[in-house]
Amino acid sequence: MTHSGLEALLDGRRLSPVQRRIAHYLSEHLDDAIFLSSVELAERAGVSQPSVTRFAMVLGFAGYPELKQALRPLVLGGPRPAEDSLIRTALDDEIRNLSAVRERLSVLPIKELGEALAATEPLPVLGLRVSSGLATTFGYYARRIHPDVRLLVHGGSELIDGLHAARRAGAGWVLAVVLPRYPAEAVQALEYAEKAGLRTAVITDRPDFPAEVVLDAPVGDRLVFDSHAAPLALAMALVEAMADAAPLRTQARLEEYEKMTEETGTFAELGCDIQSEG
């Protein structure tokens, strides 16, 4: 089976991490895979046999035998894909995702949202599970230019407590990062935030996400787990917009921060005088 044949089957499918492991194995072992039973494929891909059946059904087949039958005429006589083909395809997808964001910059409310977030104090930033990484990155940089950024990356009552405290302290907005798979608790927290009087903004991959302001960017879904190059680019653009919205405060805080890091030796100076061991 050629790589394009497998791509055609997978195109437009939202696969779970387990299903992506199966797709990854097929992409690298197509010639052998068409002769494997579902149990053998499951063992080699490192998943359960029922997962192989569910994978076939996600692709529109009644079960694994039907999927294997459909694969055979596409595989026989086709070249074996290069070992790095999956990674290359994933990177190509991320390039397209970034290009899609670039083409939509004029219609995304980055400047307006940056001004709003720069003006609200404190600024709660919410991100649960996989979204906590991007929320933390945004919060780290936003703290350099904003006087009170409150990171909320833990669920349960602590999350609601944080939103409640931020609102009582004068917050007008909450920024959330909600990427697939979407934590139900994050959606519920935003509903609570709206009821509490907070305006909601979200960085996500869905333009129809239920929030007042949505900055959406596609995620890469070719690998076992999603990659988030385009949402990260949007997050950094939003930090830039916040900096531009309050230039004097930004300058003062950045200069103060640089002075502090120099006095405390926060960062190592990696230069030509550092010898490599060997």
Side-chain angles (χ1 to χ4, degrees):
M1 179 178 182
T2 64
H3 185 68
S4 61
L6 180 59
E7 289 297 312
L9 281 177
L10 298 175
D11 187 42
R13 310 286 185 180
R14 166 59 67 175
L15 302 180
S16 71
V18 169
Q19 292 161 357
R20 292 182 200 178
R21 287 176 63 90
I22 301 171
H24 188 180
Y25 182 85
L26 289 176
S27 71
E28 295 190 345
H29 304 88
L30 294 171
D31 294 343
D32 299 331
I34 61 169
F35 300 106
L36 300 176
S37 68
S38 62
V39 174
E40 292 169 329
L41 176 57
E43 181 178 352
R44 298 193 186 189
V47 302
S48 68
Q49 188 278 331
S51 295
V52 173
T53 300
R54 287 192 290 270
F55 173 77
M57 296 176 68
V58 166
L59 297 187
F61 298 96
Y64 176 68
E66 290 76 14
L67 170 60
K68 187 163 67 171
Q69 183 178 1
L71 291 176
R72 283 188 173 182
L74 298 173
V75 173
L76 296 177
R80 185 166 182 159
E83 289 297 321
D84 63 350
S85 61
L86 179 65
I87 304 300
R88 290 179 181 273
T89 299
L91 292 175
D92 288 341
D93 279 358
E94 286 289 46
I95 292 170
R96 284 191 289 270
N97 290 343
L98 288 166
S99 296
V101 172
R102 181 185 61 189
E103 295 301 317
R104 297 177 55 240
L105 279 178
S106 61
V107 299
L108 291 172
I110 297 174
K111 180 177 182 295
E112 296 80 3
L113 181 57
E115 292 173 348
L117 298 186
T120 190
E121 188 177 337
L123 170 58
V125 177
L126 188 161
L128 301 181
R129 294 183 174 270
V130 72
S131 301
S132 65
L134 182 48
T136 300
T137 298
F138 176 89
Y140 176 85
Y141 289 112
R143 282 174 175 153
R144 304 282 77 82
I145 60 173
H146 189 286
D148 190 358
V149 175
R150 302 187 182 185
L151 192 60
L152 306 174
V153 293
H154 301 291
S157 60
E158 183 178 345
L159 174 58
I160 299 302
D161 286 349
L163 289 171
H164 178 74
R167 179 56 179 158
R168 286 183 60 86
W173 285 83
V174 56
L175 174 69
V177 180
V178 188
L179 299 171
R181 303 166 73 181
Y182 316 102
E185 194 171 10
V187 178
Q188 294 162 1
L190 287 173
E191 292 173 350
Y192 170 84
E194 289 183 339
K195 291 178 181 178
L198 287 165
R199 302 177 71 179
T200 57
V202 175
I203 296 175
T204 184
D205 68 322
R206 296 176 56 100
D208 60 344
F209 194 92
E212 182 174 345
V213 178
V214 176
L215 296 182
D216 62 291
V219 301
D221 59 3
R222 294 293 183 179
L223 304 177
V224 173
F225 298 106
D226 289 341
S227 51
H228 302 143
L232 174 60
L234 268 188
M236 298 313 300
L238 185 56
V239 173
E240 188 77 9
M242 291 173 59
D244 291 342
L248 296 180
R249 183 180 72 184
T250 295
Q251 180 181 357
R253 290 184 64 84
L254 289 179
E255 289 179 353
E256 179 185 359
Y257 180 73
E258 289 302 316
K259 181 180 179 181
M260 180 274 292
T261 59
E262 290 177 5
E263 291 175 348
T264 59
T266 302
F267 302 112
E269 295 292 337
L270 299 181
C272 59
D273 56 335
I274 294 183
Q275 302 284 329
S276 61
E277 296 183 3

